[in-house]
Amino acid sequence: MNIIEEDFKKEPKKDNTRVIAKIILIIIVLLVLVIVGILITMAYINNSQLRVYVDGQVSDDVKNLLIIEEDGTVYIPIKEIASYLGYSSYNGEYTNRSEDRSKCFVQSENEAANFTLGSNEIYKLRLTGTSSTGQNYEIYYMNNPVTSRDGKLYTTQEGLMEAFNVSFDYNRDTNRIQIYTMQFMIDAYENSVLDAGYTSIQNDFNNHKAVLEDMLVVEQNSSYGVIKASTKEVLIEPKYNQIEYLPETNNFLITSNGQVGILAPNGDTKVQLIYDRLELMDSDSEIYLAERDGRYGVVDINGNIIIHLDYDEIGIDITKFSDNDIKNKYILADNLIPVRKDGYWGFFDKTGKQVKDFMYDTIGYSVAASRDQRNLLVIPEYNLIVVGRDKKYGLINNMGEEIVILALDDAYMVISGGEKKYYMTYNDNRMDIEEYLEQQGVPVDKNTTNKSTNNTNISANDLTGTTTID
C-alpha cells in the first residue's frame, strides 16, 4: 500500500442538503402542530363561550341581554327581550295604563302578560277569541319574583316561558341556550303531522300552547284528538267534536254531542263527560263551575262535587266594579264563592263549605250617577266584601264573618291623584273605611287567605260617635 497516496487522498464531502431538508421538515411539522394546537385551543374557547339561539339562529343581541347567576338561574330584561320574541312592551298594566316603571306588560296579537316589581305573579289576559271555559285570564306563579337592575325589570327563564309562550333550555355543560317560540314550533311540526295522516294542527291560540308540553291538538275527519308532538303517539283519540287545552292545569276540556268533560294528557278521565258547561274557577284549587239542566254547582279536577248543582247562579258580574281591579268573578277576597238561590246570595269557601247563609239581595254597592264616587265590591287591604240587604250595607271578611253589620247607607270608592280611598256613610256621617277599621282594631289582611279577623264585629253602636269626614 502507498502510504503517501493514502495521506493525500481527499475525504468525500458530507451530504448537507439532506440534513437541511430534515431540519426544515421538522420545523414544518412543529409549526403545523403549533397551528393545530392554536386552532384546537381557539375552537375550545369558542365552544366554551355562551351561545344563544332563538328559533335555531344564533343571536348575540339576546345573549348580551342575559344575566346568568352561579346557580344557573338566568335573568332576562322583560321589555328589552320582547321584540325578539314577537311582542310589544310597555310600562304600567294592560288594564290600568300608566307610566309606572315598577310594572310592565308585554303584548302580542292574542294576549297580554303583566309583571310587577317584587311579585312572583304573572297575570295574563287573552285578547282574541273566547275560551270555552269562559275564563279569559290566567295567573301563573314563579319561584323568583320580578327584580330591577339599572332601572329595568327582570324575570327568570321561568317567567319568560310563561309570559312569552316559549321553550327555554340552558345546557350548562355545553354552555348553550336554545329558545323556541310557540309559532316556530307549530310550523316545524306541521309537515310531520300531515305525513302522519292528520288534516291539520288545530288552529287555536290556547291549543297551540300544548306544543310547549310536547303535545298537539290535531284534526282528522272533522274530529279532534291529541298526539305527542315529537313521536306522533296518540294520546287522545281524534273522535271529539271539540278539544281545548287548559294551560293552567295541563288538561284538556273535551266536547262530544253537546256534553263536556275533562281528560288528562294520557287520556284518563278527570271530569266525566256529563255536563252542559264547565268553567275553570280557580287554577290553584283546580275547581270548576259546572252547569247541567240550567242548575249550577262546583266540581274539582277529579270530578268530585264540591257544591251540588242546586243553585240559580254562581259568580257575579264584576264588570260593574272595574275600578276594583277584580280578575275573578267566582272567587272573591281570595276565598269566597258567591252563590244565588231564590233571589238571595250566600257564600261558600273554596273547599265547598257554606260559610254564609242566603241572606243578601246584593253583593257590592253600585253608585247612583256621580262624578266622583265609584262602585265598590271589595276592600283589598282587608279582604272585605261589601254585601247588602234592603238597601242597607255591611262588610264581611273572607271567612264569611260579619265585620260591619248591615247598617250602612252606602260604601263606595273615590279615586284622586291615582290613589284609591274607600268611604261609607252611616246616619249621614261619611267615614274613611280603612281609617275606621284601623281604629276598631281590624287587622290588615292583604294577600292572606283563610285568616279570621279575630271575630271583630262592628255594630251600629260602634258606628255612632266615631270620627266622621264631612
Side-chain angles (χ1 to χ4, degrees):
M1 179 179 292
N2 190 327
I3 297 177
I4 295 175
E5 288 180 356
E6 288 182 2
D7 288 340
F8 283 91
K9 276 184 179 180
K10 292 183 179 179
E11 295 183 0
K13 274 186 160 185
K14 292 184 179 178
D15 191 354
N16 293 329
T17 303
R18 185 175 295 178
V19 174
I20 293 171
K22 288 182 179 180
I23 294 172
I24 293 173
L25 180 61
I26 292 171
I27 293 172
I28 291 173
V29 171
L30 291 174
L31 287 173
V32 169
L33 292 174
V34 170
I35 291 171
V36 170
I38 292 172
L39 291 174
I40 291 173
T41 302
M42 291 176 63
Y44 174 79
I45 293 172
N46 184 56
N47 287 333
S48 64
Q49 291 179 339
L50 177 66
R51 190 74 60 85
V52 176
Y53 298 84
V54 178
D55 287 341
Q57 301 296 316
V58 175
S59 178
D60 289 332
D61 290 341
V62 171
K63 181 182 75 171
N64 293 333
L65 294 176
L66 308 182
I67 298 174
I68 302 179
E69 304 288 355
E70 290 185 2
D71 63 357
T73 302
V74 182
Y75 281 90
I76 306 106
I78 300 165
K79 291 181 62 180
E80 287 68 24
I81 191 118
S83 61
Y84 296 98
L85 303 177
Y87 282 69
S88 302
S89 61
Y90 307 91
N91 292 329
E93 296 177 89
Y94 179 82
T95 54
N96 186 16
R97 306 298 175 93
S98 72
E99 289 304 310
D100 186 352
R101 294 182 178 276
S102 69
K103 300 177 180 180
C104 74
F105 68 94
V106 297
Q107 180 181 347
S108 68
E109 177 185 355
N110 296 290
E111 69 180 11
N114 297 267
F115 295 85
T116 300
L117 178 63
S119 173
N120 68 339
E121 179 181 289
I122 299 175
Y123 166 59
K124 299 177 71 174
L125 182 67
R126 185 166 176 167
L127 305 180
T128 57
T130 302
S131 169
S132 59
T133 64
Q135 179 172 285
N136 288 328
Y137 71 90
E138 304 165 20
I139 297 179
Y140 293 96
Y141 299 94
M142 305 173 288
N143 292 323
N144 302 90
V146 175
T147 63
S148 178
R149 306 188 186 200
D150 300 322
K152 301 175 183 178
L153 296 182
Y154 281 74
T155 187
T156 62
Q157 61 263 49
E158 181 186 16
L160 183 83
M161 290 189 290
E162 296 292 5
F164 293 94
N165 299 308
V166 299
S167 70
F168 185 103
D169 178 67
Y170 176 29
N171 189 320
R172 299 182 71 182
D173 293 332
T174 62
N175 213 14
R176 295 290 183 267
I177 291 177
Q178 296 278 1
I179 302 173
Y180 289 105
T181 61
M182 185 172 70
Q183 190 58 54
F184 179 87
M185 297 172 71
I186 292 292
D187 293 341
Y189 283 120
E190 186 173 13
N191 287 336
S192 61
V193 166
L194 297 177
D195 291 342
Y198 299 100
T199 307
S200 66
I201 298 172
Q202 209 277 331
N203 188 26
D204 176 82
F205 180 68
N206 249 25
N207 281 346
H208 280 185
K209 291 181 183 180
V211 76
L212 301 171
E213 300 296 333
D214 195 28
M215 296 182 292
L216 294 169
V217 179
V218 294
E219 180 183 358
Q220 187 179 64
N221 300 324
S222 299
S223 295
Y224 298 95
V226 180
I227 63 173
K228 195 171 182 64
S230 57
T231 65
K232 308 305 176 291
E233 172 193 355
V234 175
L235 302 176
I236 297 174
E237 292 183 351
K239 60 183 179 182
Y240 298 99
N241 300 131
Q242 186 176 347
I243 291 182
E244 181 177 343
Y245 179 59
L246 305 175
E248 306 93 333
T249 62
N250 197 36
N251 291 306
F252 292 91
L253 184 77
I254 58 170
T255 303
S256 181
N257 298 322
Q259 300 294 293
V260 297
I262 296 174
L263 297 183
N266 62 3
D268 289 346
T269 298
K270 305 291 285 185
V271 178
Q272 287 188 332
L273 196 72
I274 59 174
Y275 297 102
D276 300 328
R277 182 160 63 104
L278 290 170
E279 292 187 15
L280 181 64
M281 297 171 61
D282 182 67
S283 57
D284 291 337
S285 52
E286 293 194 73
I287 55 176
Y288 293 81
L289 173 76
E291 179 187 357
R292 188 166 58 195
D293 300 328
R295 308 298 290 172
Y296 297 89
V298 177
V299 298
D300 68 14
I301 189 56
N302 296 311
N304 300 311
I305 295 177
I306 301 301
I307 299 176
H308 287 283
L309 280 73
D310 293 333
Y311 301 101
D312 303 325
E313 188 177 0
I314 294 179
I316 67 168
D317 179 8
I318 60 174
T319 60
K320 299 185 297 183
F321 305 99
S322 57
D323 293 316
N324 249 164
D325 297 330
I326 298 167
K327 300 177 177 67
N328 191 334
K329 68 178 183 179
Y330 296 117
I331 311 292
L332 301 181
D334 297 333
N335 187 49
L336 295 188
I337 301 172
V339 177
R340 187 172 65 87
K341 182 178 182 180
D342 298 329
Y344 287 92
W345 292 94
F347 289 93
F348 291 73
D349 66 17
K350 291 193 292 187
T351 68
K353 176 185 176 183
Q354 185 170 358
V355 297
K356 207 68 178 174
D357 200 6
F358 296 95
M359 58 181 294
Y360 304 111
D361 55 30
T362 185
I363 299 176
Y365 177 78
S366 297
V367 177
S370 172
R371 185 174 62 183
D372 301 321
Q373 299 176 5
R374 311 289 180 91
N375 295 348
L376 181 61
L377 179 58
V378 297
I379 315 295
E381 290 288 332
Y382 290 84
N383 259 345
L384 301 182
I385 302 170
V386 179
V387 292
R389 187 180 65 206
D390 299 329
K391 296 184 179 181
K392 290 296 181 181
Y393 301 89
L395 301 174
I396 63 173
N397 68 9
N398 67 352
M399 293 296 292
E401 299 166 343
E402 194 171 64
I403 302 304
V404 176
I405 66 167
L406 291 166
L408 304 175
D409 301 313
D410 58 34
Y412 58 88
M413 178 196 307
V414 172
I415 302 178
S416 178
E419 182 181 5
K420 296 178 180 179
K421 301 288 288 184
Y422 308 97
Y423 297 98
M424 60 186 181
T425 305
Y426 175 71
N427 285 344
D428 295 326
N429 292 323
R430 188 174 79 148
M431 293 167 277
D432 182 305
I433 293 178
E434 291 182 303
E435 289 182 2
Y436 181 72
L437 294 172
E438 183 179 359
Q439 292 172 4
Q440 298 299 316
V442 179
V444 171
D445 200 27
K446 187 177 181 182
N447 295 327
T448 304
T449 303
N450 297 335
K451 283 193 175 180
S452 169
T453 52
N454 299 322
N455 294 311
T456 302
N457 184 287
I458 301 174
S459 66
N461 290 332
D462 296 323
L463 289 166
T464 304
T466 60
T467 303
T468 61
I469 300 174
D470 298 323

